[in-house]
Amino acid sequence: MEEGGDRKLLVAVYHPQPDRAHALMAAIGAAGLAVQLLPQHVDGLRAWVDSCFDLLIVNPFLDWQEPFEFVRLARSIAGRRPLLVISDRDALGDRMKALGAGADDAVGWTDNLPEVLARIASLLRRSRIAAGQLGEGELRIDLIDRRVERAGRLIRLPLREFDLLANLARVPDRPVSRDALLRAVWRIDFDPGTNRVEVHMSRLRAKVDRGFDWPMLHTVKGRGYTLRSRPE
């Protein structure tokens, strides 16, 4: 289930029961995917917004009074990326309501991890077909051929700069933190104390913005970087 190149697809998991969360994460990792456990505390939603994940898995049925409102919130955060809902109760009604609230798929937790992994693989496969193209406005990104155009002009980018741009383009007009970009592009879960993000962003700006009528790439003070889909 691994994407081409040196980047593994990243699955973000929200599950309030530690034993099951870690069992699920171990299975996902063994399948060749990167996996990130989202925080359970109140600041966890910021991590969702900042995360450059490819698929979001949530179990909203154990600690939320309104689980289907939780699914709607998760849908808004996932954006175009696939959302899989897990129901520990394995109730048909739960799965139907989760789908109605915006989930792309829903599965009961029956200790049948192969089925869960098969559904993850199916969602990622479909999303890669649907998301082979990224971009807003005059920006076009081909994820398969790693080709970038702005206003019809070809922009040649090395691997790191391409991945930076693609991760920002997945959530246009939304700030992405420096830490999230380190995780997504370099697979680093700690601050290495270097300016690698800043250096690559500077190079990326020089190629994506220079010579065009308005800048798409912006620094958001205290929050990271964003790709604007239209002029301010």
Side-chain angles (χ1 to χ4, degrees):
M1 286 194 285
E2 187 171 327
E3 193 178 62
D6 65 355
R7 179 185 180 273
K8 290 183 177 181
L9 294 166
L10 177 62
V11 177
V13 175
Y14 177 92
H15 197 301
Q17 190 176 80
D19 289 348
R20 290 194 169 182
H22 287 102
L24 177 60
M25 292 172 63
I28 293 171
L33 299 167
V35 60
Q36 173 189 353
L37 182 63
L38 298 175
Q40 305 298 307
H41 52 75
V42 69
D43 291 333
L45 294 185
R46 175 174 289 277
W48 291 23
V49 171
D50 285 347
S51 290
C52 300
F53 53 81
D54 296 286
L55 181 145
L56 176 60
I57 299 176
V58 299
N59 183 331
F61 296 105
L62 295 181
D63 63 348
W64 282 71
Q65 292 182 341
E66 299 293 339
F68 303 111
E69 288 301 319
F70 184 96
V71 174
R72 293 186 184 95
L73 175 62
R75 174 76 276 160
S76 69
I77 291 168
R80 298 174 183 174
R81 296 166 290 188
L83 170 63
L84 173 63
V85 171
I86 292 179
S87 167
D88 286 63
R89 297 182 296 193
D90 197 13
L92 176 61
D94 285 349
R95 298 198 301 275
M96 294 296 289
K97 289 180 181 178
L99 292 169
D104 294 296
D105 198 0
V107 61
W109 184 279
T110 58
D111 292 325
N112 183 12
L113 282 173
E115 180 187 354
V116 176
L117 292 175
R119 290 177 182 270
I120 291 171
S122 176
L123 286 171
L124 287 172
R125 189 163 53 245
R126 279 185 277 157
S127 73
R128 287 204 298 277
I129 293 171
Q133 301 284 334
L134 281 176
E136 298 287 335
E138 60 188 37
L139 182 68
R140 291 291 176 267
I141 303 172
D142 187 316
L143 297 174
I144 298 172
D145 293 333
R146 290 187 171 271
R147 179 184 176 92
V148 176
E149 292 183 2
R150 180 170 178 184
R153 186 192 305 176
L154 178 64
I155 300 172
R156 300 186 184 279
L157 298 176
L159 177 64
R160 299 299 188 194
E161 292 170 28
F162 181 91
D163 284 348
L164 273 174
L165 183 64
N167 278 291
L168 293 171
R170 284 187 170 94
V171 284
D173 303 307
R174 182 185 295 176
V176 180
S177 72
R178 181 177 181 276
D179 287 347
L181 291 171
L182 282 170
R183 288 194 301 269
V185 178
W186 285 273
R187 295 301 180 211
I188 296 176
D189 290 322
F190 60 92
D191 189 339
T194 66
N195 63 345
R196 68 180 66 191
V197 176
E198 292 78 5
V199 168
H200 281 80
M201 282 298 304
S202 177
R203 293 171 180 168
L204 184 59
R205 280 193 176 102
K207 297 169 184 174
V208 173
D209 288 340
R210 188 173 296 166
F212 292 94
D213 293 338
W214 55 278
M216 301 190 82
L217 297 169
H218 295 260
T219 300
V220 183
K221 188 175 180 180
R223 299 185 66 186
Y225 303 93
T226 189
L227 185 145
R228 307 273 188 206
S229 60
R230 58 187 64 84
E232 293 182 316

